[in-house]
Amino acid sequence: MSSVIKNKLTGVFVPVATPFVDQKLDCSKLEANIQKMNNSKIRGYMPLGSNGEFRSLTDEEAIKVVEVIVKNRAKGKTLIVGTGRESAWATIEFTKKVADMGIDFASVLTPHYFAGKMNDEALIRFYTEVADKSPVPVMIYCIPKSANGVLISPKAISILAQHPNIVGIKDSSKENIENFINAVPKGAEFYVLSGSINKFLKGLQKGAIGGVLSMANYLPDLCCEIQELFNADRYQDAEKLSERLCKINEKISGHGGVAAVKAAMNLLGYYGMEPRLPLLPLNENEIEEIKKVLNEEGLLV
């Protein structure tokens, strides 16, 4: 079993952006994005995360997003779906709704509304309860900047990693990814994925097996190439490419967030479209800056 799960999680995942037109979910454009990304080297998809603006979707819309991706993903592409809610009960209920649709894993964000109470004991009990009742394996999603500062500790990870239905963590924190990697008990079937291009290569160097990278929404193959070069022991080339992509990322999503990711997608042949309010779209000057960055890097045709 471990080789199956490890294989499904090894590589680069797209944290799928949700296209909106006039603030409405546009399934045809999402479908077109998935069909185009199927031809890239990405390992799979992770919809209903931060880049997918999952907090701005109704449950009905969220289910529709999953339906579109399940229907259009290429054979062999792994599907990790964000199902986290603020209670264990609500998380379990939503996970059950999408589990039968053909997903591989559920990604569960740290609960954070009662941030001051989210200590190790609370988080361990939360994830244990969810994993006990989830029909699919669970991944922990750690992103303090979007979760009211809640950071799951390596100590909690060392305990949760031993649960048979908790198989990994997406680390989008500013912490040292090595702390999570080292917290995994020997022999545990639990894997670490980087949640940012900025720590992707370092994660691979320390034992992570992949990444869920916002850049993969618009530069999927270049993101995958970092891991390919690393696996081929071409470490200097991997470092050079990583530095290049980190600089691009800093000028795009590092500056403008999800709206900038969508703008870059629009420029590079995908349908990023607009963000949903309260997120504001970029203005014309900001879009021109992104266009300039991509043009200088020889990425615009």
Side-chain angles (χ1 to χ4, degrees), residues 46 50 107-112 123 127 139-154 157 168-177 180 190 192-196 199 212:
M46 191 191 122
S50 304
S107 171
V108 178
L109 179 66
T110 49
H112 53 272
L123 292 174
Y127 280 108
M139 294 194 67
I140 296 164
Y141 182 14
C142 177
I143 181 167
K145 70 177 182 179
S146 299
N148 209 6
V150 172
L151 172 71
I152 193 164
S153 73
I157 292 300
I169 181 173
K170 176 194 172 189
D171 173 28
S172 299
S173 73
K174 292 185 178 180
E175 302 299 304
N176 188 338
I177 194 170
F180 290 118
F190 186 95
V192 179
L193 299 180
S194 304
S196 165
K199 58 168 58 178
V212 186

Side-chain angles (χ1 to χ4, degrees), residues 185-214:
K186 188 175 180 180
E189 187 178 12
F190 186 95
Y191 305 100
V192 179
L193 299 180
S194 304
S196 165
I197 191 71
N198 295 322
K199 58 168 58 178
F200 181 44
L201 180 56
K202 181 179 180 181
L204 295 176
Q205 292 167 340
K206 299 299 182 181
I209 64 170
V212 186
L213 312 176
S214 65

Side-chain angles (χ1 to χ4, degrees), residues 119-129 155-156 159-160:
N119 56 22
D120 279 358
E121 180 183 5
L123 292 174
I124 289 169
R125 288 189 63 181
F126 169 80
Y127 280 108
T128 299
E129 178 75 4
K155 180 180 178 181
I159 295 169
L160 292 169

Side-chain angles (χ1 to χ4, degrees), residues 66-193:
V66 178
E67 286 177 346
V68 170
I69 297 175
V70 167
K71 181 180 178 181
N72 288 280
R73 68 166 167 166
K75 184 178 179 180
K77 299 290 189 189
T78 301
L79 182 54
I80 308 169
V81 174
T83 64
R85 298 295 186 268
E86 276 302 306
S87 69
W89 180 275
T91 300
I92 293 164
E93 290 303 301
F94 187 73
T95 302
K96 287 178 178 177
K97 287 181 181 179
V98 297
D100 292 338
M101 296 167 63
I103 76 171
D104 298 294
F105 304 95
S107 171
V108 178
L109 179 66
T110 49
H112 53 272
Y113 185 81
F114 299 107
K117 298 295 184 182
M118 292 301 100
N119 56 22
D120 279 358
E121 180 183 5
L123 292 174
I124 289 169
R125 288 189 63 181
F126 169 80
Y127 280 108
T128 299
E129 178 75 4
V130 170
D132 283 347
K133 297 178 180 177
S134 172
V136 293
V138 171
M139 294 194 67
I140 296 164
Y141 182 14
C142 177
I143 181 167
K145 70 177 182 179
S146 299
N148 209 6
V150 172
L151 172 71
I152 193 164
S153 73
K155 180 180 178 181
I157 292 300
S158 70
I159 295 169
L160 292 169
Q162 299 176 62
H163 193 291
N165 205 33
I166 301 178
V167 297
I169 181 173
K170 176 194 172 189
D171 173 28
S172 299
S173 73
K174 292 185 178 180
E175 302 299 304
N176 188 338
I177 194 170
E178 191 173 2
N179 294 340
F180 290 118
I181 295 168
N182 292 339
V184 180
K186 188 175 180 180
E189 187 178 12
F190 186 95
Y191 305 100
V192 179
L193 299 180

